[in-house]
Amino acid sequence: MNNNLLTVAVPKGKLLEDVVDLFEKIGFPTEDLKQSTRKLLLEYPEDSLRYIICRPTDIPTYVEYGASDIGIVGKDTIEEARKNIFELADLGFGKCKFVLALPEKIIKSSEYEKDFQKIFAGSTHLRVATKFPNVAREYFDRIGFQAEIIHLHGNIELAPQVGLAEAIIDIVSTGRTLKENNLVAVDDIFEATTRLVANRVSYRLKHKRIQNLLENIYKHYLEVKND
Amino acid sequence: MITPSGIRDWPPENAWRKRYIENILVKLFQSWGYEEVITGTLEFDNVISKGLSENEKSQLYRFFGREGEILTLRPDMTTPIARFTATHLKNKTFPLRFFYTGNVFRYEKIQAGRYREFFQAGVELIGAESSLADAEIIILASRALEKVGVKDFRIGIGDIQLLNLVLELCELEYYGKEQLRKAIAEKDYVSVKALINKLKNESQSSYIQLLEKLSNIYGPDDFIKEFSRFETCLVIKNRLTVLKNIITLLETADLKDRIIIDLGITRDFQYYTGIVFEIYSPYIGFPICGGGRYDNLLNNFGFKCPATGFAMGIERVLLVLEKSGKLPKLEYKKCLVVGGDFKKIFQRAEELRSRGFFVEVELEEKDEKELKEYAKSKGINYIEVVN
């Protein structure tokens, strides 16, 4: 076993561009990430480095099991996954927020505007469609409102239009999708940015290397960006 | 029939490996003066729930007994042994050294090498307060891993008392303290950093610097160097003395190179009160062994008594051995005794058994070819024919 090898879980999809930018600034190889190859495993033996390219929602799992020493993943995904992983740094990008959204017409036809608790106070049932059932459950527990949570895997916006749910909980970054589907955000749940996460054993056994990486990220990326 | 989720069966080759490892551990624990105790798998819920956080309680298997009482399957062995000691063994001569092997149950997400029923071997050292006792536990855990063939492990040591002391000294208001404690326990270093930055603006305490050091990890020498600056504070000095003693003792046991000091180690169970530790192997992403001091747990059962101990995950140890190519191999000699006369067969089999062979006798009338095939598929090295 190579104790120096550092395995990094890299999210494919919309975060990738920011990850490439981050890697460039801290001197990590990025050529292969920029090409749209289908490779899932990229190895750089000369740097004792390895990337695994995976779906963002799987990254907490890879890191929790130690299949990956560290990973880059949104706080939204971390909150939902509830894995035992260490959050080392807030990388700042991929900003989005969790919102509760209702169809525009419900709001318009109600006298309570955006106060959904009042809107639904008289109804027997609030059904909420979401990709994030854990986040949703925690939110409703916190505000003390009862709702039925319907777990979907995508295109949450569809649910209110076809009567599957009265409301949705989803992450928004620009708000365009909500608008296009005539949905209006009525409550912000929390904001999320991308995090550097680590496996609890790797963090201790490869501490020097991870600590150096962290310092590099602060010096060449986060502090530069904040100036 | 299938089994409930997270519950598994052990086929002979795995069961053999488990027992092999347990036998080594039992012999080692006994040679250190530890005695075996056995407690029941079922406990009253109000016994087990003492010393657990809400989250830990949510992982209990609970059900009603026939008289409406709430029962739970033990999630670890420490609380049952603490209960047993506090209620039945108070009049013994202390310290008591106990060991156990057994199955425990946690309704948790299925992780590497950890099912919902899993096996632990461990020890409890009850009635000893000194740092010598803390060191004995860590050394014994290390020897246990060495004995079963785990190499390259590292020992992460934390101190819940020092952590609490620093939080007290910083004079944080209650809410800030609890937020920080939670962030440290959840290893959310992003929040830890943000909270410390916020506190820096609010608090004048010079110990805020010390707080910042909590989320770092150190080799033993660096740790002492970094923290000795704060020894002007007597309570901190006392805790550092404990840690220094332990480091010295581990050095004597040739374990110094394996030590990592990480005050972020708080362990899963809420009952820990002092020195805690976890042992890591590069082969899996979870600790393979963990433990520490729990000086208040026995008091929950009406008997004030300091104690420390550790538990080792048998499945995790097996996983490490498998990944590092060190799984124990079956090395015994198997023979099969065949022939026409049953009396002679049984006599010969007994003779061979008494000489240490693993001996089967032929129960059906197989021909020579069938016998050879049978022996091959069963890993039998040698067939003896008696007439």
Side-chain angles (χ1 to χ4, degrees), chain A residues 121-134:
Chain A
S123 93
T124 54
H125 219 83
L126 172 61
R127 295 168 301 171
V128 181
T130 185
K131 275 197 279 191
F132 302 91
N134 288 333

Side-chain angles (χ1 to χ4, degrees), chain B residues 23-196:
Chain B
N23 285 346
I24 293 174
L25 294 175
V26 167
K27 245 169 97 178
L28 177 74
F29 296 156
Q30 286 171 331
S31 76
W32 280 57
Y34 286 75
E35 297 173 294
E36 182 163 21
V37 285
I38 299 171
T39 63
T41 317
L42 281 176
E43 293 272 351
F44 285 119
D45 182 65
N46 59 6
V47 166
I48 293 296
S49 289
K50 279 182 182 147
L52 296 187
S53 69
E54 283 309 312
N55 186 40
E56 288 149 9
K57 282 185 216 166
S58 74
Q59 292 187 341
L60 294 174
Y61 275 91
R62 286 172 163 142
F63 39 91
F64 288 115
R66 293 288 293 269
E67 281 155 26
E69 70 280 28
I70 304 173
L71 303 174
T72 182
L73 295 174
R74 59 185 180 201
D76 81 335
M77 303 287 280
T78 302
T79 305
I81 291 173
R83 173 203 43 83
F84 181 38
T85 307
T87 51
H88 291 94
L89 307 171
K90 271 188 286 195
N91 300 326
K92 295 265 182 189
T93 311
F94 285 79
L96 296 169
R97 286 181 168 85
F98 290 146
F99 81 85
Y100 58 82
T101 67
N103 51 348
V104 296
F105 301 83
R106 286 179 213 166
Y107 196 88
E108 65 185 337
K109 284 175 287 180
I110 298 189
Q111 302 175 339
R114 176 165 274 193
Y115 287 78
R116 285 179 180 161
E117 177 187 26
F118 53 96
F119 291 86
Q120 291 187 329
V123 307
E124 312 295 348
L125 174 46
I126 302 168
E129 218 166 356
S130 69
S131 44
L132 262 172
D134 294 300
E136 170 168 323
I137 289 297
I138 299 175
I139 295 168
L140 180 51
S142 307
R143 293 290 176 263
L145 289 172
E146 287 163 3
K147 281 266 184 208
V148 298
V150 175
K151 307 256 189 282
D152 313 323
F153 60 86
R154 303 291 293 273
I155 308 158
I157 301 176
D159 181 8
I160 290 177
Q161 268 197 48
L162 184 56
L163 179 70
N164 285 339
L165 257 181
V166 175
L167 289 172
E168 292 299 329
L169 286 169
C170 287
E171 295 172 346
L172 314 176
E173 33 85 36
Y174 177 78
Y175 187 61
K177 193 159 66 188
E178 287 316 304
Q179 268 187 315
L180 197 55
R181 197 194 302 277
K182 186 166 170 264
I184 290 169
E186 288 174 1
K187 312 300 169 200
D188 177 359
Y189 290 123
V190 173
S191 300
V192 171
K193 220 178 160 118
L195 285 166
I196 290 176

Side-chain angles (χ1 to χ4, degrees), chain A residues 7-27:
Chain A
T7 304
V8 187
V10 177
K12 57 179 165 194
K14 60 177 198 268
L15 291 179
L16 189 61
E17 205 176 304
D18 287 306
V19 173
V20 168
D21 176 49
L22 164 71
F23 282 3
E24 260 168 7
K25 299 225 163 76
I26 60 168

Side-chain angles (χ1 to χ4, degrees), chain B residues 246-263:
Chain B
I246 290 169
I247 291 169
T248 310
L249 287 161
L250 291 181
E251 190 174 7
T252 321
D254 225 6
L255 292 168
K256 194 181 174 190
D257 295 342
R258 299 189 186 271
I259 306 174
I260 303 165
I261 309 287
D262 180 351
L263 295 172

